[in-house]
Amino acid sequence: MAWPIAEVARMSGVTARTLRHYDDIGLLPPAWIGANGHRYYEDRQLLRLQQILVLRALGVGLPEIDRILASQVDELEALRGHHRRLLDERDRLHALAGTVARTITELEQSRKDGTAMITISRPENLFEGVRPAHCMKVLHDYPELVGAFERQTSTWTEAESEADERERTAQMIRLAELLAAGLPADAEAVQAEIDAQYRTLSRVRAATAEEYRAIGRTCVENEHWRAVYEAIAPGLAAYQRAAIDAYAATRLR
């Protein structure tokens, strides 16, 4: 059975223009093109579209999606992997939603009691103009990690760089919320956030446990990095390091 592009757009919620773009870049060619010039899709293409949409929902860019789909051998196993990632993301968002709710409760109570809470600064983009490769240069003992970031980020467009800067800022603010809520560095919600940070890092290169611990130490020992973290919330640099240490010990052994 085959479906015309308009019907696929209706079923998937993806615009026909987007489907044509996916065809143009070779990500999702139709099964065939009719004499009228219309694109038609069969079951196999719909399955591929589903995988594309799942990966997009997980924040994966189109070039990386193309590489993932090109390298997968078994579609069923690939879907199982996507399903696991979706469940992990669901659990992470659920944990963070609970943490924010607890932070609201703590803040409301502190106002009633007249006590002080950790003040969180919420800059829109703390890292404006600062690419990850620049930050990584302080890791002199790990040239392979630094080199990987330099090679990857040198190809980024201005929009990609800005998106990365805002994401890193948002990650720090979310971690500050967990600190303000009084959660220990090894708490599940904190570790879920550190895992999200690690996955962001892994888009360029997956760090070893030793490398990730070194990044954590730098948050405290490097004057510039520490100042950036402390600009968000007092104690955030040490909190980040402790959380990374706990993550490396339990998940990167």
Side-chain angles (χ1 to χ4, degrees), residues 54-243:
V54 167
L55 291 169
R56 289 292 285 159
L58 290 168
V60 182
L62 293 181
E64 181 62 21
I65 290 175
D66 191 32
R67 287 191 289 270
I68 291 172
L69 296 183
S71 64
Q72 72 181 28
V73 177
D74 182 84
E75 291 178 338
L76 179 58
E77 187 57 34
L79 283 173
R80 288 188 178 122
H82 301 331
H83 184 239
R84 287 192 296 270
R85 293 180 67 177
L86 285 170
L87 293 178
D88 289 343
E89 184 68 5
R90 179 202 63 186
D91 293 342
R92 185 182 76 84
L93 291 174
H94 178 74
L96 290 178
T99 299
V100 172
R102 286 192 294 273
T103 302
I104 292 171
T105 300
E106 292 287 338
L107 182 57
E108 289 174 341
Q109 188 60 46
S110 70
R111 288 178 177 176
K112 290 179 182 179
D113 299 340
T115 57
M117 274 192 69
I118 293 176
T119 301
I120 301 176
S121 173
R122 300 178 185 275
E124 183 178 356
N125 187 358
L126 190 67
F127 288 94
E128 186 172 3
V130 182
R131 291 191 173 187
H134 297 159
C135 298
M136 289 294 177
K137 283 185 180 295
V138 301
L139 298 171
H140 307 294
D141 296 333
Y142 302 93
E144 292 183 2
L145 183 64
V146 175
F149 272 85
E150 289 178 340
R151 290 189 296 273
Q152 177 74 13
T153 60
S154 65
T155 65
W156 283 359
T157 64
E158 183 177 345
E160 288 173 327
S161 296
E162 183 177 346
D164 175 77
E165 293 159 6
R166 292 182 184 279
E167 180 177 6
R168 284 185 284 148
T169 299
Q171 286 175 342
M172 292 175 62
I173 292 173
R174 291 197 299 268
L175 194 66
E177 290 174 340
L178 301 173
L179 171 63
L183 273 68
D186 61 353
E188 181 179 350
V190 180
Q191 290 301 291
E193 186 58 45
I194 296 298
D195 181 60
Q197 293 184 17
Y198 184 79
R199 291 203 305 271
T200 299
L201 176 69
S202 296
R203 294 175 191 170
V204 178
R205 180 179 178 278
T208 65
E210 182 182 1
E211 289 170 338
Y212 207 33
R213 288 192 186 96
I215 292 174
R217 291 195 300 272
T218 305
C219 297
V220 175
E221 296 171 1
N222 180 269
E223 183 177 350
H224 173 73
W225 278 35
R226 185 175 65 253
V228 169
Y229 277 79
E230 296 302 298
I232 298 287
L236 184 59
Y239 190 66
Q240 170 82 23
R241 174 181 175 174

